[in-house]
Amino acid sequence: MRYQRSRLMQERLADNRQRILLSARKLVSEGGFRAAQIAAVATDAGLSTGSIYRYFPSKAELFVEVLGEAVRHEIDILRALVQAPGSAAQRLQRAVESFAGRAFDGPFLAYAFIAEPADQEVDAERIRARRAFGDVFETVLHQGIASGEFPPQNADVAAACIVGAFTEALIGPIGHARGSRQDRGEVIRTISRFCLQAVSGRQEVPAAPGKARRRRA
Amino acid sequence: MRYQRSRLMQERLADNRQRILLSARKLVSEGGFRAAQIAAVATDAGLSTGSIYRYFPSKAELFVEVLGEAVRHEIDILRALVQAPGSAAQRLQRAVESFAGRAFDGPFLAYAFIAEPADQEVDAERIRARRAFGDVFETVLHQGIASGEFPPQNADVAAACIVGAFTEALIGPIGHARGSRQDRGEVIRTISRFCLQAVSGRQEVPAAPGKARRRRA
Amino acid sequence: MRYQRSRLMQERLADNRQRILLSARKLVSEGGFRAAQIAAVATDAGLSTGSIYRYFPSKAELFVEVLGEAVRHEIDILRALVQAPGSAAQRLQRAVESFAGRAFDGPFLAYAFIAEPADQEVDAERIRARRAFGDVFETVLHQGIASGEFPPQNADVAAACIVGAFTEALIGPIGHARGSRQDRGEVIRTISRFCLQAVSGRQEVPAAPGKARRRRA
Amino acid sequence: MRYQRSRLMQERLADNRQRILLSARKLVSEGGFRAAQIAAVATDAGLSTGSIYRYFPSKAELFVEVLGEAVRHEIDILRALVQAPGSAAQRLQRAVESFAGRAFDGPFLAYAFIAEPADQEVDAERIRARRAFGDVFETVLHQGIASGEFPPQNADVAAACIVGAFTEALIGPIGHARGSRQDRGEVIRTISRFCLQAVSGRQEVPAAPGKARRRRA
DNA sequence: CATGAATGAGAATTCATTCAT
DNA sequence: TATGAATGAATTCTCATTCAT
């Protein structure tokens, strides 16, 4: 006797959930966790505060998901690049440039990813995220070391250095790259060369410019 | 008599101010900004909450100064190393290792330095701090490029990469170096080689181990 | 055809109403009023929250009826026992033991009956309920006093004492009888003797054990 | 160098704490836990909501103390009466009448004592309270049984019955004694005789009337 | 008619800042 | 001048009730 939940309804529900996630993401990226109170998220999403709790059990869970969703997407892309054919150096370069490019375009992820959140649960998710990124880079480093492309090195620490390097360069406050005060391609190539030289110990000729096209996030 | 009392008074005032700063710093380093409420700082400093406001106009100003003080100290050390005689590579290496070593030993500075503070004013100070560190490294890079030691590169962005690399490696959550799970010297040498190779494009033979002595912060 | 549908409909309506009452009762008995939110009742009854409001104008009214229904059932049984033939003492004993036995088996009624409800309206119903129980016992007391079986006494207050005595003994927190830590028969006989002696002022020989059979609520 | 906290100050502090407890107690006794929100307590005590938390860590702790304080006071009185010289029956009678008298005068304690609180911690305290009262009566019962004054009986359950009996008679909603619709002495004597006859199985001649004087709580 | 998503008025709690003593 | 008690705005979360579909 249950009424069939109409397709429209289902869409609206999924829609709301997504809108909440987007609003939360937007607010954090614009004003940090400070600016992302439940009430603000609700208003931005066009809902009441109570409705947020229909979709997420708590503020912490909401932001864990915001972070997790962004990270998962990023990791998927990185893993694909890292598993593609090519030398370790090429694959590392592609991964760094791809990541850096998106971070340049939409500083949100990297921002949330650096920020100290107000909540322990979110903090834990942030740690998982950083470790996940590091793991991807560590994989290529190990492959490069094994194949003799890269000299032996502490891949663990080096991977952390890579993550830190472009994080800081792109979104950290001294990242002069902020906005578009510097040429996108130039910044990204600098970062990728930095990382490649760092792990290979060889002078790297940056990939032909113009390949990494600007793409909106 | 009156003069004497006044001098004592002044000393006590200066003393209290310093004690407040130290307590604030200690609390942040131990538990983050979350743990550094005015009341806690006051208790730790052996003063009343009201007294804090005799020395600092607001919580934000207090923490701006906490951060600023720590950074100034660090910058002084770095600048001395950078202005000492030696090749650009040597000076860069010394600066990186010195900074990294202190961060390894006492994660406070680096922590506060990454943390998203509760307050916009503190945030602004954090930006200044990161920029100041970057500037020091940028200086050496420019010198190295000018002297031909380093290939031409975007020194601005590269400096940010350096700061980011060791920040993440040492105190970021994937910094496996946390605690003492990894050998201090090994971690620091990995980082310094990473940075040197990154900017020089040459395989670097790390400095003889044992030179960088452990020192408590 | 239309008539048939209508009858089915009516049956379904009555059915739903009953299911809601049962679910509400079950939830209160298991977790107190705390656990009996409208949404939980609806889920348990296999209906939507909105539907609850088709059958009951408000949460308060629902629980007033839950309580009232349970009490009415209990009162019917008690009245039958009290109007049966026999001495006042016998009838009183039967009533007390019958009530106590059901309370021992299914603490729901007694629980709701003591609990401070979330709502004033339910509170009022609770008062009516207690008064109704008291009235039944008062009736027997009056009869016993009239017949000379019991000494003259304030039947009103004594009836309240009876209700309080077994309520507390059976479900109050010091009612060690909770669960089955004590022998059911023993507890019930103690209570009934307590009440009988209290009103008769004579040593009572408890009824032969084994008469009051355990029955699930 | 600490300023001496003035006696006045100390008095004011102790005063506030006491005022909060009194306000909380008053509100519960008047309108149940429903009416005792932190904001209401604060207003009643002439303080801000925040100030409540200077004196009590949480709402639950506040009400645990409200209940505990009242109970401790009551238990002290009961224990003194129970340990005084005299027969078990006399001591039991004095205890019951004393307790009943105060409950008649100020229904607060007994009310809170029956109410189902909104909070588990308070609930736990309530259970302790009831058990404590029961224990006092159980003690006299055991003594009376040992001395042959009372017939052998389950003292545990009987003690619960006593507590329940006058609780219900006095403050329970069927306690017609509410307000002063019935004569105070008459009600109290009825209760005490009820309890005495219940445990002794003998007709009790109530203590000479006029002895139990009305006293404000 | 049934549904269940949306609402929004509370309620508890925290903590920077003020100010009477 | 130092103190720390008092303040109260801000924030998260709950749940009875309504109403568009």
Side-chain angles (χ1 to χ4, degrees), chain D residues 21 24 33 56 58-72 119-126 128-129:
Chain D
L21 285 168
F33 280 93
F56 300 92
S58 73
K59 190 188 182 186
E61 296 269 344
L62 165 58
F63 284 101
V64 163
E65 188 160 335
V66 166
L67 205 53
E69 200 183 46
V71 168
R72 224 170 298 123
D119 204 294
Q120 278 187 317
E121 291 179 64
V122 183
D123 220 17
E125 180 67 16
R126 190 169 61 97
R128 275 193 294 282

Side-chain angles (χ1 to χ4, degrees), chain A residues 32-34 116-118 127 130-131 151-152 154 156 160 164 168 173-174 176 182 186 193-194 197-198 201-203, chain B residues 34 111 116-117 127 130-131 151-154 156 160 164 168 173-174 176 182 186 193-194 197-198 201-203:
Chain A
F33 280 93
R34 258 200 298 296
E116 180 197 41
I127 290 176
R130 291 189 166 219
R131 202 174 291 278
N154 187 328
D156 192 14
E168 181 70 28
I174 58 169
H176 300 289
Q182 291 205 16
E186 153 87 3
R193 198 173 54 167
F194 181 96
Q197 293 187 163
R202 282 194 321 273
Q203 188 106 11
Chain B
R34 264 199 288 287
Y111 182 81
E116 182 195 39
I127 292 177
R130 291 189 167 220
R131 200 176 294 276
Q153 59 194 285
N154 188 327
D156 192 13
E168 181 70 30
I174 58 167
H176 299 289
Q182 290 204 17
E186 153 88 4
R193 197 171 57 165
F194 182 95
Q197 292 187 163
R202 282 193 320 274
Q203 189 107 10

Side-chain angles (χ1 to χ4, degrees), chain D:
Chain D
M1 242 346 144
R2 291 244 155 153
Y3 270 47
Q4 202 64 36
R5 193 183 289 174
S6 78
R7 191 188 309 241
L8 231 72
M9 195 73 137
Q10 279 192 347
E11 269 162 25
R12 185 148 56 83
L13 289 189
D15 228 52
N16 281 346
R17 198 165 198 288
Q18 206 51 37
R19 256 214 318 287
I20 292 170
L21 285 168
L22 284 172
S23 295
R25 178 176 167 148
K26 184 180 115 195
L27 288 172
V28 171
S29 74
E30 285 169 7
F33 280 93
R34 256 200 300 294
Q37 309 100 330
I38 288 289
V41 173
T43 299
D44 190 277
L47 292 168
S48 65
T49 59
S51 292
I52 303 294
Y53 288 87
R54 168 167 297 276
Y55 298 94
F56 300 92
S58 73
K59 190 188 182 186
E61 296 269 344
L62 165 58
F63 284 101
V64 163
E65 188 160 335
V66 166
L67 205 53
E69 200 183 46
V71 168
R72 224 170 298 123
H73 178 235
E74 201 64 36
I75 291 277
D76 286 348
I77 296 175
L78 288 185
R79 265 214 265 272
L81 290 173
V82 155
Q83 286 162 5
S87 70
Q90 284 173 327
R91 289 178 287 138
L92 179 59
Q93 181 185 343
R94 280 188 223 119
V96 169
E97 293 191 353
S98 159
F99 198 158
R102 275 188 308 284
F104 190 101
D105 297 338
F108 159 72
L109 172 64
Y111 183 81
F113 171 58
I114 269 214
E116 180 195 43
D119 204 294
Q120 278 187 317
E121 291 179 64
V122 183
D123 220 17
E125 180 67 16
R126 190 169 61 97
I127 290 176
R128 275 193 294 282
R130 290 188 168 220
R131 201 173 292 277
F133 285 121
D135 286 349
V136 174
F137 291 111
E138 198 179 339
T139 301
V140 210
L141 290 184
H142 278 306
Q143 295 172 348
I145 294 165
S147 73
E149 267 188 87
F150 301 149
Q153 59 195 285
N154 188 327
D156 192 14
V157 174
C161 285
I162 293 174
V163 173
F166 63 73
T167 302
E168 181 68 31
L170 287 166
I171 56 86
I174 58 168
H176 301 289
R178 269 255 169 110
S180 47
R181 275 168 296 175
Q182 290 205 17
D183 178 65
R184 184 184 188 270
E186 152 87 5
V187 168
I188 291 174
R189 257 172 288 122
T190 300
I191 293 172
S192 100
R193 197 171 56 165
F194 181 95
C195 292
L196 275 179
Q197 293 188 161
V199 299
S200 71
R202 281 195 320 274
Q203 188 106 10
E204 298 291 333
V205 180
K211 274 210 170 166
R213 275 278 138 66
R214 170 167 223 136
R215 236 181 27 189
R216 267 280 105 202

Side-chain angles (χ1 to χ4, degrees), chain C residues 43-199:
Chain C
T43 300
D44 191 276
L47 292 167
S48 65
T49 57
S51 294
I52 303 291
Y53 287 86
R54 169 156 308 279
Y55 299 96
F56 299 91
S58 73
K59 192 190 181 186
E61 295 274 342
L62 165 57
F63 284 99
V64 162
E65 191 158 335
V66 166
L67 205 53
E69 201 184 45
V71 168
R72 224 169 298 124
H73 178 235
E74 200 66 34
I75 292 278
D76 287 349
I77 296 176
L78 288 184
R79 266 213 263 271
L81 290 172
V82 155
Q83 287 163 4
S87 70
Q90 283 173 328
R91 288 179 286 135
L92 178 59
Q93 182 184 341
R94 280 188 223 119
V96 168
E97 292 190 356
S98 159
F99 197 159
R102 275 188 308 286
F104 190 101
D105 296 339
F108 158 73
L109 173 65
Y111 182 80
F113 172 59
I114 265 216
E116 181 196 41
D119 207 292
Q120 276 188 316
E121 295 178 60
V122 183
D123 221 15
E125 179 66 16
R126 188 168 64 98
I127 291 177
R128 276 192 295 280
R130 290 189 167 219
R131 200 174 294 276
F133 286 120
D135 286 350
V136 174
F137 291 110
E138 196 179 340
T139 302
V140 209
L141 289 184
H142 279 307
Q143 295 172 347
I145 294 165
S147 73
E149 263 188 90
F150 301 149
Q153 58 194 286
N154 188 327
D156 190 14
V157 174
C161 285
I162 292 174
V163 172
F166 64 72
T167 301
E168 182 69 29
L170 286 166
I171 58 90
I174 58 168
H176 299 288
R178 270 254 167 111
S180 49
R181 275 169 296 178
Q182 291 205 16
D183 179 65
R184 183 183 189 271
E186 152 88 3
V187 168
I188 292 174
R189 257 172 286 123
T190 300
I191 293 173
S192 97
R193 196 173 56 167
F194 181 97
C195 293
L196 276 179
Q197 293 187 163
V199 300

